[in-house]
């Protein structure tokens, strides 16, 4: 990172959050599916290049106390922020260093997982080469490296907006003014193309909608920094290969082409005599992909391709997939559609698959081992008609193959070592130390599934006081005091409530639901 870049991150630190895709268990699952023997998440060594304030590494260190974490970042300000949070929590298995990526050497030792999120596209070419060199030289034999980067062809569209905002902002000197002017110019640009029906207007409107909802740090570092160099996937893979690294997979299995792509196109692609890298590149062309989270490993490893479904029989599963119907027709061959919270869907006619997804949805947010899921599916289908029961004579691998497809479609998550949290609030509920520290001031809190969660003010106030010593009555008293001191706003019919007896009545009714929401969000310690 050059001096101007260092200065910009010192002046405007990037929001430092948890990224589920980078968690060692997430990476271990992909490695296991491809026949590797990765280090288990509870006992591993992790290096993060460009760790910012430690928002990604610190929650890992908290929930994986027997693992070791090292993060480096060129910005002393961001590292100091992370070191302060580490001291607050009292962690001893993590170290953040204010250091350049170029200074990483053999003294660091080997790591089972190397993470580089949101850095590669934003640094000059020599630093990019150093990142790949580190991934080769510091990675253990069965290790996995994660590198995210902007990709073409999708980023060609983003480049339109970036180029215009950068041009306008370049006329101003200080960072706050640059950001303000970039946003003002964006609105002027949208006003100029308002009502336009051509493709240019539609592209600008779509991309601008995303920028509008992002914070200033995102806008500045993504669109106004001097360096942002997207690449085609095949170019990235070729550069990695020169360092003795091979493409493993994306942090989540690469998805097949969407059903909107004509079947003839998919058939032609399937028949093309091209290798894995070129096939992935064609998929990016058809999807218009703009961002990748690529996993790399040593090129000497022989990988299972395609992913081996039998690995799932040794894993745990979670799924928030739900059917739109109140009553499911599980035992017929009628198709049932299950959808995830982000809108992704999968449809199945198979009674076994429908039963399994229904069971996982009922157990959410808790995990089921594949063995438990298989046993519960057998029990649930014991009353089904004979032809349906006969389908259970199929080996569990049939179910594993179907669940692998659901995993690729983002309808469920796989875990080698499932996260531990309380799915229901106990008599004296306790939240993680990190989440309680984040609750008062930070926009997002990190849950025990290593995901960032946004809460409303009431739930944040409750979360902050869940130290494991207070029962609901004590929590109600604390919340009532916050209301009395105008530190918490309670409203009925959109009017602020201040009368103590009515406040107490509302709090008594609202607290149990809040505690259960926090449990469902995986924020309570088991």
């Amino acid at each position: 990172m050059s001096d101007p870049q260092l200065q910009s991150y010192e002046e405007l630190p990037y929001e430092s959050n948890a990224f589920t895709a980078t968690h060692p268990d997430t990476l271990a699952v992909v490695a296991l599916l491809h026949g590797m023997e990765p280090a288990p998440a509870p006992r591993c060594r992790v290096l993060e290049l460009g760790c910012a304030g430690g928002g990604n590494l610190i929650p890992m260190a908290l929930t994986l106390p027997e693992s070791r974490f090292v993060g480096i970042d060129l910005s002393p300000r961001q590292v100091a922020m992370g070191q302060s949070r580490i001291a607050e929590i009292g962690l001893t298995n993590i170290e953040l260093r204010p250091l350049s990526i170029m200074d990483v050497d053999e003294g660091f030792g080997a790591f089972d997982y190397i993470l580089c999120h949101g850095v590669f596209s934003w640094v000059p070419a020599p630093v990019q080469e150093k990142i790949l060199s580190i991934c080769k030289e510091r990675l253990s034999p069965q290790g996995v490296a994660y590198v995210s980067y902007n990709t073409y062809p999708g980023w060609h569209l983003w480049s339109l907006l970036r180029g215009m905002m950068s041009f306008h902002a370049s006329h101003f000197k200080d960072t706050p003014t640059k950001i303000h002017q970039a946003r003002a110019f964006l609105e002027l640009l949208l006003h100029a193309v308002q009502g336009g029906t051509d493709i240019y207007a539609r592209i600008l409107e779509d991309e601008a909608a995303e920028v509008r909802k992002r914070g200033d740090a995102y806008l500045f570092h993504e669109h106004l920094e001097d360096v942002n160099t997207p690449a085609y996937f095949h170019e990235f893979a070729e550069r990695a290969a020169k360092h003795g690294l091979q493409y493993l997979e994306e942090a989540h299995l690469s998805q097949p082409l969407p059903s909107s792509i004509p079947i003839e196109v998919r058939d032609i692609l399937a028949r093309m005599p091209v290798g894995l890298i070129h096939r992935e590149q064609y998929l990016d062309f058809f999807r218009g992909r703009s961002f990748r989270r690529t996993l790399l490993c040593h090129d000497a490893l022989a990988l299972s391709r395609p992913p081996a479904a039998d690995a799932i029989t040794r894993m745990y599963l979670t799924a928030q997939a739900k059917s739109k119907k109140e009553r499911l027709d599980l035992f017929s061959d009628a198709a049932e559609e299950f959808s995830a919270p982000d809108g992704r869907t999968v449809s199945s006619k198979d009674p076994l698959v429908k039963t399994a997804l229904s069971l996982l949805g009922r157990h959410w947010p808790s995990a089921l081992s594949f063995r438990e899921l298989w046993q519960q599916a057998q029990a649930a289908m014991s009353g089904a008609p004979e032809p349906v029961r006969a389908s259970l004579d199929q080996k569990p691998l049939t179910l594993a193959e179907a669940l692998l497809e659901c995993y690729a479609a983002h309808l469920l998550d796989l875990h080698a070592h499932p996260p531990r949290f309380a799915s229901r609030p106990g008599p004296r509920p306790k939240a993680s130390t990190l989440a309680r520290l984040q609750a008062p001031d930070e926009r997002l809190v990190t849950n025990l599934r290593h995901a960032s969660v946004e809460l409303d003010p009431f739930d944040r106030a409750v979360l902050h006081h869940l130290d494991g010593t207070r029962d609901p009555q004590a929590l109600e008293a604390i919340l009532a005091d916050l209301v009395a001191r105008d530190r918490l706003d309670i409203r009925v019919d959109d009017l602020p409530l201040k009368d103590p007896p009515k406040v107490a009545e509302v709090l008594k009714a609202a607290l149990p639901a809040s505690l259960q929401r926090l449990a469902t969000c995986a924020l309570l310690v088991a």
Side-chain angles (χ1 to χ4, degrees):
M1 192 180 290
S2 63
D3 288 342
Q5 282 181 294
L6 169 59
Q7 182 179 348
S8 74
Y9 280 92
E10 287 285 279
E11 184 178 357
L12 185 62
Y14 205 88
E15 193 173 51
S16 187
N17 297 320
F19 299 100
T20 310
T22 67
H23 193 278
D25 191 64
T26 302
L27 308 185
V29 163
V30 178
L32 288 166
L33 289 171
H34 287 81
M36 292 176 60
E37 298 177 7
R43 294 177 302 282
C44 67
R45 280 176 52 84
V46 179
L47 170 66
E48 184 168 25
L49 307 174
C51 65
N56 191 38
L57 280 190
I58 291 172
M60 294 183 196
L62 179 63
T63 56
L64 301 171
E66 295 183 40
S67 293
R68 179 72 189 171
F69 301 87
V70 177
I72 67 165
D73 198 280
L74 192 57
S75 167
R77 178 183 178 187
Q78 293 189 108
V79 169
M81 292 164 64
Q83 290 171 336
S84 175
R85 179 53 53 87
I86 289 169
E88 280 184 286
I89 300 173
L91 296 173
T92 58
N93 62 335
I94 179 173
E95 178 185 6
L96 304 185
R97 305 179 191 175
L99 195 68
S100 167
I101 288 172
M102 301 299 287
D103 294 330
V104 175
D105 57 23
E106 63 275 4
F108 275 69
F111 295 87
D112 303 303
Y113 302 97
I114 296 177
L115 315 176
C116 188
H117 182 77
V119 176
F120 193 86
S121 292
W122 297 266
V123 293
V127 184
Q128 292 179 341
E129 293 302 316
K130 179 64 175 180
I131 289 169
L132 294 174
S133 174
I134 292 169
C135 290
K136 173 62 178 180
E137 295 169 3
R138 306 271 63 82
L139 197 62
S140 63
Q142 291 284 331
V144 178
Y146 166 109
V147 184
S148 69
Y149 50 99
N150 291 332
T151 56
Y152 294 132
W155 238 90
H156 282 301
L157 303 181
W158 279 105
S159 296
L160 291 173
L161 213 53
R162 169 180 160 80
M164 289 184 282
M165 287 196 296
S166 294
F167 173 79
H168 180 71
S170 68
H171 295 90
F172 306 92
K173 290 185 177 181
D174 63 283
T175 299
T177 303
K178 284 177 178 287
I179 293 170
H180 173 76
Q181 285 293 328
R183 291 194 185 280
F185 173 76
L186 180 61
E187 296 306 316
L188 181 65
L189 182 63
L190 290 176
H191 188 61
V193 301
Q194 186 177 17
T197 57
D198 62 351
I199 190 169
Y200 180 67
R202 294 202 304 272
I203 288 173
L204 291 181
E205 288 169 355
D206 288 346
E207 305 301 334
E210 182 65 24
V211 173
R212 275 171 159 168
K213 63 185 182 185
R214 297 297 196 102
D216 287 350
Y218 167 85
L219 184 147
F220 185 80
H221 297 301
E222 185 77 20
H223 292 287
L224 303 182
E225 290 277 17
D226 292 338
V227 178
N228 190 330
T229 53
Y232 285 102
F233 167 71
H234 75 90
E235 295 173 333
F236 176 85
E238 288 161 7
R239 291 173 68 182
K242 290 178 181 178
H243 287 270
L245 298 163
Q246 66 173 314
Y247 175 64
L248 171 60
E249 182 60 84
E250 293 306 294
H252 201 294
L253 294 190
S254 287
Q255 289 182 269
L257 286 173
S259 57
S260 58
I261 300 292
I263 187 67
E264 313 88 74
V265 175
R266 283 178 275 165
D267 287 345
I268 292 171
L269 178 60
R271 293 196 304 269
M272 280 184 177
V274 296
L276 172 67
I277 301 304
H278 284 177
R279 191 175 302 281
E280 285 288 318
Q281 183 61 77
Y282 281 116
L283 290 174
D284 281 7
F285 290 157
F286 294 145
R287 293 192 190 104
R289 195 166 193 164
S290 62
F291 189 70
R292 271 187 176 260
R293 301 173 178 87
T294 293
L295 306 188
L296 302 169
C297 64
H298 290 292
D299 60 5
L301 292 174
L303 302 176
S304 298
R305 298 198 191 278
D310 63 344
I312 293 178
T313 63
R314 306 189 301 276
M315 296 184 189
Y316 296 79
L317 303 93
T318 56
Q320 204 172 355
K322 294 182 179 179
S323 171
K324 296 177 181 177
K325 298 179 182 177
E326 290 187 13
R327 296 181 64 84
L328 293 177
D329 186 2
L330 296 177
F331 300 148
S332 78
D333 60 358
E336 293 286 354
E337 187 175 81
F338 294 83
S339 60
D342 65 359
R344 299 174 194 262
T345 62
V346 68
S347 179
S348 178
K349 296 181 179 180
D350 188 323
L352 182 57
V353 176
K354 292 189 289 185
T355 300
L357 290 175
S358 177
L359 286 167
L360 289 171
R362 259 184 271 162
H363 280 81
W364 173 266
S366 300
L368 286 177
S369 70
F370 181 86
R371 182 180 179 183
E372 290 171 325
L373 179 61
W374 175 253
Q375 291 173 342
Q376 291 189 26
Q378 286 180 306
M381 296 179 70
S382 62
E386 175 57 33
V388 175
R389 292 202 307 275
S391 68
L392 289 175
D393 292 337
Q394 304 171 66
K395 293 181 179 179
L397 184 56
T398 303
L399 176 60
E401 290 169 345
L403 294 175
L404 179 61
E405 292 183 19
C406 293
Y407 169 68
H410 294 255
L411 260 291
L412 59 81
D413 291 319
L414 298 173
H415 312 272
H417 295 84
R420 295 185 68 250
F421 52 86
S423 58
R424 293 180 181 80
R428 285 181 169 78
K430 182 178 181 179
S432 78
T433 307
L434 176 61
R436 285 190 284 116
L437 289 170
Q438 292 172 324
D441 305 312
E442 298 184 30
R443 184 177 66 88
L444 300 172
V445 297
T446 306
N447 71 9
L448 296 167
R449 292 171 56 89
H450 200 66
S452 296
V453 180
E454 190 165 6
L455 303 173
D456 66 31
F458 185 80
D459 286 351
R460 292 165 72 89
V462 174
L463 176 66
H464 181 55
H465 294 92
L466 301 183
D467 61 2
T469 67
R470 300 181 174 101
D471 60 16
Q473 290 74 29
L475 291 169
E476 289 168 19
I478 289 174
L479 295 170
D481 180 63
L482 291 175
V483 173
R485 292 188 292 119
D486 293 325
R487 302 289 298 276
L488 178 63
D489 188 29
I490 299 290
R491 290 177 175 264
V492 175
D493 297 329
D494 206 32
L495 295 174
L497 191 63
K498 293 296 182 183
D499 180 56
K502 290 189 178 297
V503 167
E505 181 181 345
V506 169
L507 291 174
K508 191 173 189 64
L511 183 60
S514 175
L515 291 172
Q516 186 53 57
R517 283 194 298 272
L518 296 175
T520 302
C521 287
L523 285 162
L524 302 186
V525 176

